[in-house]
Amino acid sequence: MNYDREDSGGDTEYFIENGYIYKRSNIKASTFRAVTLGVLICFFTVFFLNYCGVMIAEKRASSQSRNTAHESGNASPESLNRNRNITDCNTGNSCAEAGRGFAEQNDYEKAAVFYRKSCDYGHYESCRDLVALYYENKAQPSPHDDPPSLLSKACSYYEPAGCFMSGGLLLRDYPDDAVKQKEAFRFITEACDYGFYSACGQKAESLLAQGRPVHAYRTAVEGCRRDDVRSCAIQTVISLKYGMSDISKPDKYRRLNRGCYEAGMDEVCFLYALELPDSSAGDRVLAMENACRISPDSRYCKLADLFREKTDSETAPDLKSLAYRELCLNKDMDYCFRLAARYEQMPALSPEARREKAADVYLAACGMKNEKACDMYRKYPGSGGQEKNGGNLPPALP
């Protein structure tokens, strides 16, 4: 049988026989194609069944979590999961996770237990979180705590908030311990230097108490630029104490007001009450009353009572002079000199009356054994270079 064949190159081949064209399938290609299609169908079937199984399992787990949360007082599934794994807390991360779970439920004592354990494992963020609970009075320190080690860890690895709270704890709990106060200053300094500007105000306050007003001023200026209320108040206090005129009166009052009522600084309330103009007698009383509430210093409460009494009287009182007088009688020499200077510049008095009142103030301060006051008194006409009363007892202040 004679015929010509033409191969199309596909799954079908064509041939000519007796003048007719015939076609037939390429069996090898068809078989390969069928096998490939079968394998793909099997693969996708298995994948689909596995996917369905996973979805069913997740749905069951979600349903169980909701039921458990309902039985446990509607706690979140994440918190419940943390609490289930507490018994497995054997690393810093797992103990920290457990501590956060209890903190979310406001169980701070248990949170402290696990933060402490996590801190012991070297998880320094937990050291900071533990100190934060103590600083905020949410948990009580444990007898097992090693305070120097704990506070140092909380301040490690550039944790400025941990440094700040460590210093704050020492300042609050050891006010009369010079060693602890020194350590507190170190922590607060590190916090400020690390960029935690809320600590700069306390650093400036400590520097000022150490008799370092220049350093205190620089630190306060840096903190005030970042709108730290305490820093702005301390900068203003230094400006007032050292006669600087770098702050306008409106800004001065605003800063002192915020330092008094927002930062709760008793000395700032006191200065704010003294610096207010005479037309703001009511605000003076409020500021001094706030100083009395904040501080155990009896002077502030005494001045608050005095301001309240005089403000209620019919005559307009000179509250600033009254405050200076009370403080001078309390042997605060700085206010004796301020009172004398105030009398010297009081326009309502005649020149003779100004000199007489100022001389009497200096004499009273001289009677309190202040040599500078004695020298000032000798410069006034009529003093004769001699102190009345032999310089032993202060006469009545004007």
Side-chain angles (χ1 to χ4, degrees):
M1 180 171 57
N2 296 320
Y3 58 85
D4 296 325
R5 176 177 294 176
E6 182 178 342
D7 190 355
S8 66
D11 294 343
T12 304
E13 61 182 10
Y14 298 86
F15 62 90
I16 303 172
E17 185 177 359
N18 297 327
Y20 296 97
I21 298 174
Y22 297 90
K23 66 177 180 180
R24 65 183 177 189
S25 299
N26 187 333
I27 297 175
K28 290 183 179 179
S30 298
T31 303
F32 175 77
R33 187 174 182 178
V35 171
T36 302
L37 183 61
V39 170
L40 290 174
I41 291 172
C42 291
F43 173 78
F44 283 110
T45 301
V46 172
F47 176 79
F48 178 74
L49 292 174
N50 286 336
Y51 175 78
C52 291
V54 170
M55 292 297 293
I56 292 171
E58 289 184 354
K59 187 174 181 180
R60 287 178 178 173
S62 177
S63 177
Q64 289 176 355
S65 296
R66 285 195 298 270
N67 292 337
T68 306
H70 179 72
E71 294 170 0
S72 303
N74 296 323
S76 67
E78 293 81 4
S79 296
L80 291 168
N81 191 46
R82 289 193 193 105
N83 293 342
R84 286 194 204 100
N85 295 330
I86 284 173
T87 54
D88 301 328
C89 166
N90 53 13
T91 65
N93 286 331
S94 61
C95 293
E97 188 74 4
R100 284 192 288 270
F102 280 118
E104 286 178 1
Q105 299 174 31
N106 298 329
D107 192 344
Y108 298 115
E109 291 296 341
K110 285 185 180 178
V113 170
F114 288 97
Y115 283 150
R116 188 178 300 112
K117 191 173 182 181
S118 177
C119 180
D120 291 340
Y121 279 124
H123 194 275
Y124 293 108
E125 288 183 1
S126 294
C127 304
R128 177 203 62 197
D129 292 340
L130 179 59
V131 169
L133 291 180
Y134 296 160
Y135 182 75
E136 296 169 3
N137 288 318
K138 292 181 176 178
Q140 296 300 317
S142 167
H144 304 293
D145 285 337
D146 179 13
S149 174
L150 172 61
L151 298 180
S152 295
K153 288 177 181 177
C155 190
S156 298
Y157 293 95
Y158 302 99
E159 275 288 347
C163 298
F164 174 69
M165 290 183 290
S166 296
L169 272 177
L170 292 175
L171 288 174
R172 185 188 71 192
D173 296 343
Y174 302 96
D176 300 322
D177 189 324
V179 175
K180 293 285 196 309
Q181 293 291 299
K182 186 176 180 180
E183 186 71 3
F185 177 71
R186 181 179 71 82
F187 283 134
I188 289 172
T189 297
E190 290 186 19
C192 176
D193 294 345
Y194 288 160
F196 194 80
Y197 293 106
S198 295
C200 295
Q202 284 196 350
K203 178 185 176 183
E205 202 170 1
S206 297
L207 287 168
L208 186 60
Q210 295 170 20
R212 300 165 65 185
V214 175
H215 291 84
Y217 187 80
R218 290 173 182 168
T219 302
V221 168
E222 188 67 23
C224 188
R225 284 175 183 166
R226 271 74 177 184
D227 199 32
D228 175 52
V229 173
R230 186 176 289 268
S231 295
C232 293
I234 291 297
Q235 181 189 355
T236 308
V237 168
I238 296 172
S239 296
L240 291 172
K241 283 190 172 182
Y242 292 91
M244 301 167 66
S245 57
D246 56 329
I247 306 173
S248 65
K249 277 191 175 182
D251 198 28
K252 182 193 305 179
Y253 295 148
R254 180 184 63 83
R255 291 183 179 191
L256 291 176
N257 180 284
R258 293 186 68 193
C260 174
Y261 294 107
E262 292 182 31
M265 303 168 70
D266 54 348
E267 185 181 5
V268 172
C269 291
F270 165 70
L271 288 175
Y272 181 45
L274 296 185
E275 290 302 318
L276 281 169
D278 293 336
S279 59
S280 302
D283 290 336
R284 285 185 193 271
V285 174
L286 291 176
M288 198 62 75
E289 286 178 341
N290 202 46
C292 175
R293 281 192 295 269
I294 297 168
S295 173
D297 192 331
S298 59
R299 294 180 307 161
Y300 300 151
C301 296
K302 187 175 181 180
L303 286 174
D305 292 339
L306 178 64
F307 283 7
R308 196 182 306 108
E309 176 188 345
K310 296 298 182 181
T311 303
D312 293 339
S313 64
E314 295 181 359
T315 57
D318 179 6
L319 294 181
K320 185 177 286 190
S321 296
L322 286 174
Y324 287 176
R325 182 180 183 279
E326 288 298 322
L327 293 167
C328 180
L329 288 173
N330 202 44
K331 298 186 178 181
D332 190 329
M333 292 296 110
D334 180 50
Y335 286 99
C336 292
F337 289 104
R338 289 192 187 193
L339 179 60
R342 185 169 175 80
Y343 282 139
E344 287 175 335
Q345 300 170 6
M346 195 169 283
L349 300 176
S350 64
E352 294 78 11
R354 293 178 201 169
R355 288 193 294 270
E356 182 180 351
K357 282 181 173 290
D360 287 342
V361 173
Y362 286 129
L363 178 59
C366 178
M368 299 176 201
K369 309 299 183 183
N370 186 280
E371 290 299 325
K372 183 180 177 181
C374 295
D375 292 338
M376 292 295 296
Y377 174 69
R378 293 188 186 101
K379 294 178 182 179
Y380 278 84
S383 66
Q386 301 294 324
E387 294 81 17
K388 299 175 185 177
N389 300 332
N392 294 321
L393 296 174
L397 284 176

